[in-house]
Amino acid sequence: QDANETIALSGQNKGIRFAVVPKTPAYEPQETCPGKWMLSNPNNAPIFSATAYHFAQMLYNTLNVPVGIIVCSWGGSRVESWTNREILETYPDIDLTQKGIETEHEWKRPLLMYNGMLKPLSNFTLKGFIWYQGESNVGKHDVYARRFATMVELWRKDWKNNNLPFYYAEIAPWIYGDGETGISGALLREAQFKAQSIIPNSGMISTNDLVEEYEKINIHPKNKTDVGKRLAYLALNQTYELKSIAAHGPEYKSMEIRDGKIILSFSYAQDGFSRENDIRGFEICGSDKIFIPASAKLDNNNLKIILSSDKIQNPIAARYCFRNFQPGNLANTRGLPVVPFRTDNF
């Protein structure tokens, strides 16, 4: 969103270096790949990843140490694109014959990016990984978390460090194949959130609040600045032990039903929430399992959310922004958004 200014001022970051791996698919694991280290300046910055740049800038400004970023990415790729043959051979829906691979769109092909772009980098010493991916795995939410965790395990094995930090971004609101009010994207986000519990030393940032209404058909929303910053907050808090920097938005913890209302409790909201009125994004349902918008209010201590609707006398479940495109407006007092969730498994 501030690309021109960021590029213009990029020369101020004398201690930041970027290397960008070009798209170089390979059917067999490679030992080398193209790429070179580049200074941070207005001539080079336009080809840097915006998310990675703002991540690097936040680390650089906070820690006052040089920061080097290797960008190894391919827009639209699947988690299977960055996984090796031995693992992919155990996935029944992946055809690893050359014909099978080439029937996929170039950006969705399995194996090739790992072999040609990632594997060669394993000779470098890394501090950790940041990751922003998932849109092309929508529809495969049932296997995503496990495959995602298996990929991270493979990478850590390649780098001979089973505890390398791994921080990643939730996919943004967008109209997926089942439309604006469908939940295919929400189910993938749920799988991403759950993956934290099976990937040691990992963390996910939410992007639910970082899109505008007009971006519902834009798979690349403009705000990369805050995505990069939030990933940096995770690294600063969890890797660099700066615990005074908040790293997580409120996460659903538990639900209580009382007097026709649903009362929700959250982690990472110990100081309360960002607003008291006009809270948007919550829905509840009754026994018919049809979700409708709910009125959301804070309790007296500003620590819990109370949901109700005149149309539902006996609610049984609640959801928050659990649709393909449903940006919310609630955050904690540090401005980190409530992570989309559902209390049900309908």
Side-chain angles (χ1 to χ4, degrees), residues 198-220:
I198 57 175
I199 303 175
N201 199 17
S202 71
M204 188 198 82
I205 60 116
S206 178
T207 63
N208 174 261
D209 61 326
L210 300 182
V211 296
E212 304 287 347
E213 179 69 19
Y214 73 86
E215 293 181 305
K216 64 177 62 176
I217 57 173
N218 181 5
I219 195 68
H220 298 291

PDB file of all heavy atoms in Angstrom, residues 198-220:
ATOM      1  N   ILE A 198       0.870 -28.559  15.842  1.00  0.00           N
ATOM      2  CA  ILE A 198       1.640 -29.747  15.462  1.00  0.00           C
ATOM      3  C   ILE A 198       2.990 -29.387  14.846  1.00  0.00           C
ATOM      4  O   ILE A 198       3.767 -30.283  14.501  1.00  0.00           O
ATOM      5  CB  ILE A 198       0.855 -30.664  14.500  1.00  0.00           C
ATOM      6  CG1 ILE A 198       0.425 -29.925  13.231  1.00  0.00           C
ATOM      7  CG2 ILE A 198      -0.357 -31.254  15.199  1.00  0.00           C
ATOM      8  CD1 ILE A 198      -0.255 -30.828  12.209  1.00  0.00           C
ATOM      9  N   ILE A 199       3.275 -28.095  14.706  1.00  0.00           N
ATOM     10  CA  ILE A 199       4.591 -27.645  14.246  1.00  0.00           C
ATOM     11  C   ILE A 199       5.288 -26.964  15.418  1.00  0.00           C
ATOM     12  O   ILE A 199       4.904 -25.851  15.799  1.00  0.00           O
ATOM     13  CB  ILE A 199       4.480 -26.667  13.065  1.00  0.00           C
ATOM     14  CG1 ILE A 199       3.719 -27.284  11.898  1.00  0.00           C
ATOM     15  CG2 ILE A 199       5.877 -26.228  12.600  1.00  0.00           C
ATOM     16  CD1 ILE A 199       3.461 -26.319  10.747  1.00  0.00           C
ATOM     17  N   PRO A 200       6.290 -27.598  16.011  1.00  0.00           N
ATOM     18  CA  PRO A 200       6.997 -26.961  17.129  1.00  0.00           C
ATOM     19  C   PRO A 200       7.633 -25.639  16.696  1.00  0.00           C
ATOM     20  O   PRO A 200       8.032 -25.467  15.539  1.00  0.00           O
ATOM     21  CB  PRO A 200       8.067 -27.992  17.500  1.00  0.00           C
ATOM     22  CG  PRO A 200       7.593 -29.281  16.920  1.00  0.00           C
ATOM     23  CD  PRO A 200       6.814 -28.929  15.694  1.00  0.00           C
ATOM     24  N   ASN A 201       7.734 -24.712  17.630  1.00  0.00           N
ATOM     25  CA  ASN A 201       8.403 -23.424  17.403  1.00  0.00           C
ATOM     26  C   ASN A 201       7.865 -22.728  16.153  1.00  0.00           C
ATOM     27  O   ASN A 201       8.618 -22.305  15.273  1.00  0.00           O
ATOM     28  CB  ASN A 201       9.921 -23.598  17.287  1.00  0.00           C
ATOM     29  CG  ASN A 201      10.655 -22.283  17.506  1.00  0.00           C
ATOM     30  OD1 ASN A 201      10.101 -21.324  18.035  1.00  0.00           O
ATOM     31  ND2 ASN A 201      11.913 -22.241  17.090  1.00  0.00           N
ATOM     32  N   SER A 202       6.550 -22.626  16.077  1.00  0.00           N
ATOM     33  CA  SER A 202       5.899 -21.975  14.942  1.00  0.00           C
ATOM     34  C   SER A 202       4.898 -20.949  15.454  1.00  0.00           C
ATOM     35  O   SER A 202       4.607 -20.874  16.650  1.00  0.00           O
ATOM     36  CB  SER A 202       5.198 -22.995  14.046  1.00  0.00           C
ATOM     37  OG  SER A 202       4.040 -23.521  14.694  1.00  0.00           O
ATOM     38  N   GLY A 203       4.348 -20.157  14.540  1.00  0.00           N
ATOM     39  CA  GLY A 203       3.304 -19.213  14.901  1.00  0.00           C
ATOM     40  C   GLY A 203       2.628 -18.682  13.665  1.00  0.00           C
ATOM     41  O   GLY A 203       3.247 -18.578  12.599  1.00  0.00           O
ATOM     42  N   MET A 204       1.339 -18.343  13.788  1.00  0.00           N
ATOM     43  CA  MET A 204       0.569 -17.803  12.674  1.00  0.00           C
ATOM     44  C   MET A 204       0.052 -16.413  13.009  1.00  0.00           C
ATOM     45  O   MET A 204      -0.402 -16.173  14.121  1.00  0.00           O
ATOM     46  CB  MET A 204      -0.622 -18.716  12.348  1.00  0.00           C
ATOM     47  CG  MET A 204      -1.371 -18.325  11.077  1.00  0.00           C
ATOM     48  SD  MET A 204      -3.038 -19.054  10.952  1.00  0.00           S
ATOM     49  CE  MET A 204      -3.999 -17.911  11.978  1.00  0.00           C
ATOM     50  N   ILE A 205       0.130 -15.505  12.036  1.00  0.00           N
ATOM     51  CA  ILE A 205      -0.485 -14.187  12.198  1.00  0.00           C
ATOM     52  C   ILE A 205      -1.756 -14.149  11.360  1.00  0.00           C
ATOM     53  O   ILE A 205      -1.839 -14.762  10.309  1.00  0.00           O
ATOM     54  CB  ILE A 205       0.476 -13.049  11.804  1.00  0.00           C
ATOM     55  CG1 ILE A 205       0.916 -13.170  10.341  1.00  0.00           C
ATOM     56  CG2 ILE A 205       1.693 -13.037  12.714  1.00  0.00           C
ATOM     57  CD1 ILE A 205       0.490 -12.053   9.453  1.00  0.00           C
ATOM     58  N   SER A 206      -2.750 -13.429  11.854  1.00  0.00           N
ATOM     59  CA  SER A 206      -4.004 -13.282  11.124  1.00  0.00           C
ATOM     60  C   SER A 206      -3.932 -12.057  10.216  1.00  0.00           C
ATOM     61  O   SER A 206      -3.329 -11.031  10.560  1.00  0.00           O
ATOM     62  CB  SER A 206      -5.176 -13.131  12.084  1.00  0.00           C
ATOM     63  OG  SER A 206      -6.389 -12.952  11.375  1.00  0.00           O
ATOM     64  N   THR A 207      -4.553 -12.176   9.039  1.00  0.00           N
ATOM     65  CA  THR A 207      -4.620 -11.067   8.087  1.00  0.00           C
ATOM     66  C   THR A 207      -6.063 -10.643   7.839  1.00  0.00           C
ATOM     67  O   THR A 207      -6.338  -9.900   6.902  1.00  0.00           O
ATOM     68  CB  THR A 207      -3.981 -11.476   6.745  1.00  0.00           C
ATOM     69  OG1 THR A 207      -4.744 -12.563   6.178  1.00  0.00           O
ATOM     70  CG2 THR A 207      -2.547 -11.939   6.930  1.00  0.00           C
ATOM     71  N   ASN A 208      -6.978 -11.109   8.678  1.00  0.00           N
ATOM     72  CA  ASN A 208      -8.411 -10.926   8.425  1.00  0.00           C
ATOM     73  C   ASN A 208      -8.823  -9.469   8.275  1.00  0.00           C
ATOM     74  O   ASN A 208      -9.745  -9.152   7.530  1.00  0.00           O
ATOM     75  CB  ASN A 208      -9.210 -11.585   9.551  1.00  0.00           C
ATOM     76  CG  ASN A 208     -10.693 -11.318   9.449  1.00  0.00           C
ATOM     77  OD1 ASN A 208     -11.214 -10.445  10.129  1.00  0.00           O
ATOM     78  ND2 ASN A 208     -11.369 -12.055   8.581  1.00  0.00           N
ATOM     79  N   ASP A 209      -8.132  -8.563   8.955  1.00  0.00           N
ATOM     80  CA  ASP A 209      -8.520  -7.155   8.958  1.00  0.00           C
ATOM     81  C   ASP A 209      -7.761  -6.319   7.938  1.00  0.00           C
ATOM     82  O   ASP A 209      -7.958  -5.106   7.872  1.00  0.00           O
ATOM     83  CB  ASP A 209      -8.275  -6.572  10.352  1.00  0.00           C
ATOM     84  CG  ASP A 209      -6.801  -6.645  10.755  1.00  0.00           C
ATOM     85  OD1 ASP A 209      -6.122  -7.626  10.357  1.00  0.00           O
ATOM     86  OD2 ASP A 209      -6.320  -5.741  11.465  1.00  0.00           O
ATOM     87  N   LEU A 210      -6.914  -6.944   7.131  1.00  0.00           N
ATOM     88  CA  LEU A 210      -6.000  -6.188   6.277  1.00  0.00           C
ATOM     89  C   LEU A 210      -6.464  -6.091   4.825  1.00  0.00           C
ATOM     90  O   LEU A 210      -5.659  -5.869   3.923  1.00  0.00           O
ATOM     91  CB  LEU A 210      -4.591  -6.794   6.330  1.00  0.00           C
ATOM     92  CG  LEU A 210      -3.943  -6.822   7.719  1.00  0.00           C
ATOM     93  CD1 LEU A 210      -2.543  -7.393   7.627  1.00  0.00           C
ATOM     94  CD2 LEU A 210      -3.923  -5.431   8.347  1.00  0.00           C
ATOM     95  N   VAL A 211      -7.746  -6.270   4.583  1.00  0.00           N
ATOM     96  CA  VAL A 211      -8.281  -6.142   3.222  1.00  0.00           C
ATOM     97  C   VAL A 211      -9.403  -5.119   3.206  1.00  0.00           C
ATOM     98  O   VAL A 211     -10.088  -4.904   4.207  1.00  0.00           O
ATOM     99  CB  VAL A 211      -8.797  -7.497   2.684  1.00  0.00           C
ATOM    100  CG1 VAL A 211      -7.669  -8.498   2.558  1.00  0.00           C
ATOM    101  CG2 VAL A 211      -9.909  -8.048   3.567  1.00  0.00           C
ATOM    102  N   GLU A 212      -9.578  -4.505   2.043  1.00  0.00           N
ATOM    103  CA  GLU A 212     -10.662  -3.554   1.838  1.00  0.00           C
ATOM    104  C   GLU A 212     -11.817  -4.256   1.123  1.00  0.00           C
ATOM    105  O   GLU A 212     -11.626  -5.283   0.464  1.00  0.00           O
ATOM    106  CB  GLU A 212     -10.176  -2.374   0.997  1.00  0.00           C
ATOM    107  CG  GLU A 212      -8.966  -1.659   1.561  1.00  0.00           C
ATOM    108  CD  GLU A 212      -9.281  -0.813   2.785  1.00  0.00           C
ATOM    109  OE1 GLU A 212     -10.491  -0.602   3.041  1.00  0.00           O
ATOM    110  OE2 GLU A 212      -8.344  -0.383   3.470  1.00  0.00           O
ATOM    111  N   GLU A 213     -12.993  -3.685   1.209  1.00  0.00           N
ATOM    112  CA  GLU A 213     -14.170  -4.284   0.588  1.00  0.00           C
ATOM    113  C   GLU A 213     -13.960  -4.502  -0.909  1.00  0.00           C
ATOM    114  O   GLU A 213     -14.366  -5.536  -1.459  1.00  0.00           O
ATOM    115  CB  GLU A 213     -15.392  -3.386   0.829  1.00  0.00           C
ATOM    116  CG  GLU A 213     -16.679  -3.896   0.218  1.00  0.00           C
ATOM    117  CD  GLU A 213     -17.225  -5.154   0.896  1.00  0.00           C
ATOM    118  OE1 GLU A 213     -16.825  -5.432   2.049  1.00  0.00           O
ATOM    119  OE2 GLU A 213     -18.045  -5.847   0.257  1.00  0.00           O
ATOM    120  N   TYR A 214     -13.311  -3.571  -1.580  1.00  0.00           N
ATOM    121  CA  TYR A 214     -13.130  -3.698  -3.030  1.00  0.00           C
ATOM    122  C   TYR A 214     -12.129  -4.785  -3.403  1.00  0.00           C
ATOM    123  O   TYR A 214     -12.006  -5.135  -4.575  1.00  0.00           O
ATOM    124  CB  TYR A 214     -12.692  -2.359  -3.632  1.00  0.00           C
ATOM    125  CG  TYR A 214     -11.276  -1.955  -3.327  1.00  0.00           C
ATOM    126  CD1 TYR A 214     -10.218  -2.393  -4.130  1.00  0.00           C
ATOM    127  CD2 TYR A 214     -10.973  -1.137  -2.244  1.00  0.00           C
ATOM    128  CE1 TYR A 214      -8.912  -2.027  -3.866  1.00  0.00           C
ATOM    129  CE2 TYR A 214      -9.675  -0.773  -1.967  1.00  0.00           C
ATOM    130  CZ  TYR A 214      -8.642  -1.207  -2.787  1.00  0.00           C
ATOM    131  OH  TYR A 214      -7.348  -0.842  -2.510  1.00  0.00           O
ATOM    132  N   GLU A 215     -11.414  -5.332  -2.405  1.00  0.00           N
ATOM    133  CA  GLU A 215     -10.396  -6.333  -2.693  1.00  0.00           C
ATOM    134  C   GLU A 215     -10.928  -7.766  -2.627  1.00  0.00           C
ATOM    135  O   GLU A 215     -10.152  -8.716  -2.697  1.00  0.00           O
ATOM    136  CB  GLU A 215      -9.217  -6.180  -1.722  1.00  0.00           C
ATOM    137  CG  GLU A 215      -8.448  -4.882  -1.917  1.00  0.00           C
ATOM    138  CD  GLU A 215      -7.272  -4.745  -0.966  1.00  0.00           C
ATOM    139  OE1 GLU A 215      -7.484  -4.850   0.258  1.00  0.00           O
ATOM    140  OE2 GLU A 215      -6.142  -4.541  -1.438  1.00  0.00           O
ATOM    141  N   LYS A 216     -12.225  -7.925  -2.533  1.00  0.00           N
ATOM    142  CA  LYS A 216     -12.790  -9.266  -2.395  1.00  0.00           C
ATOM    143  C   LYS A 216     -12.501 -10.146  -3.617  1.00  0.00           C
ATOM    144  O   LYS A 216     -12.557 -11.366  -3.529  1.00  0.00           O
ATOM    145  CB  LYS A 216     -14.291  -9.192  -2.126  1.00  0.00           C
ATOM    146  CG  LYS A 216     -15.115  -8.598  -3.253  1.00  0.00           C
ATOM    147  CD  LYS A 216     -16.614  -8.637  -2.916  1.00  0.00           C
ATOM    148  CE  LYS A 216     -16.943  -7.816  -1.692  1.00  0.00           C
ATOM    149  NZ  LYS A 216     -18.419  -7.773  -1.430  1.00  0.00           N
ATOM    150  N   ILE A 217     -12.198  -9.517  -4.756  1.00  0.00           N
ATOM    151  CA  ILE A 217     -11.851 -10.296  -5.948  1.00  0.00           C
ATOM    152  C   ILE A 217     -10.367 -10.156  -6.288  1.00  0.00           C
ATOM    153  O   ILE A 217      -9.934 -10.538  -7.371  1.00  0.00           O
ATOM    154  CB  ILE A 217     -12.708  -9.885  -7.159  1.00  0.00           C
ATOM    155  CG1 ILE A 217     -12.557  -8.390  -7.456  1.00  0.00           C
ATOM    156  CG2 ILE A 217     -14.169 -10.249  -6.945  1.00  0.00           C
ATOM    157  CD1 ILE A 217     -13.233  -7.950  -8.739  1.00  0.00           C
ATOM    158  N   ASN A 218      -9.586  -9.631  -5.343  1.00  0.00           N
ATOM    159  CA  ASN A 218      -8.147  -9.460  -5.554  1.00  0.00           C
ATOM    160  C   ASN A 218      -7.399 -10.433  -4.661  1.00  0.00           C
ATOM    161  O   ASN A 218      -7.377 -10.266  -3.445  1.00  0.00           O
ATOM    162  CB  ASN A 218      -7.743  -8.015  -5.238  1.00  0.00           C
ATOM    163  CG  ASN A 218      -6.264  -7.759  -5.462  1.00  0.00           C
ATOM    164  OD1 ASN A 218      -5.536  -8.644  -5.939  1.00  0.00           O
ATOM    165  ND2 ASN A 218      -5.804  -6.573  -5.113  1.00  0.00           N
ATOM    166  N   ILE A 219      -6.783 -11.440  -5.262  1.00  0.00           N
ATOM    167  CA  ILE A 219      -6.078 -12.453  -4.481  1.00  0.00           C
ATOM    168  C   ILE A 219      -4.804 -11.893  -3.850  1.00  0.00           C
ATOM    169  O   ILE A 219      -4.223 -12.493  -2.958  1.00  0.00           O
ATOM    170  CB  ILE A 219      -5.754 -13.684  -5.367  1.00  0.00           C
ATOM    171  CG1 ILE A 219      -5.360 -14.903  -4.526  1.00  0.00           C
ATOM    172  CG2 ILE A 219      -4.658 -13.345  -6.369  1.00  0.00           C
ATOM    173  CD1 ILE A 219      -6.487 -15.464  -3.707  1.00  0.00           C
ATOM    174  N   HIS A 220      -4.368 -10.713  -4.299  1.00  0.00           N
ATOM    175  CA  HIS A 220      -3.179 -10.063  -3.747  1.00  0.00           C
ATOM    176  C   HIS A 220      -3.560  -8.717  -3.139  1.00  0.00           C
ATOM    177  O   HIS A 220      -3.358  -7.674  -3.761  1.00  0.00           O
ATOM    178  CB  HIS A 220      -2.114  -9.856  -4.833  1.00  0.00           C
ATOM    179  CG  HIS A 220      -1.607 -11.117  -5.434  1.00  0.00           C
ATOM    180  ND1 HIS A 220      -0.834 -12.017  -4.736  1.00  0.00           N
ATOM    181  CD2 HIS A 220      -1.757 -11.635  -6.674  1.00  0.00           C
ATOM    182  CE1 HIS A 220      -0.516 -13.034  -5.522  1.00  0.00           C
ATOM    183  NE2 HIS A 220      -1.082 -12.831  -6.702  1.00  0.00           N
TER     184      HIS A 220
END
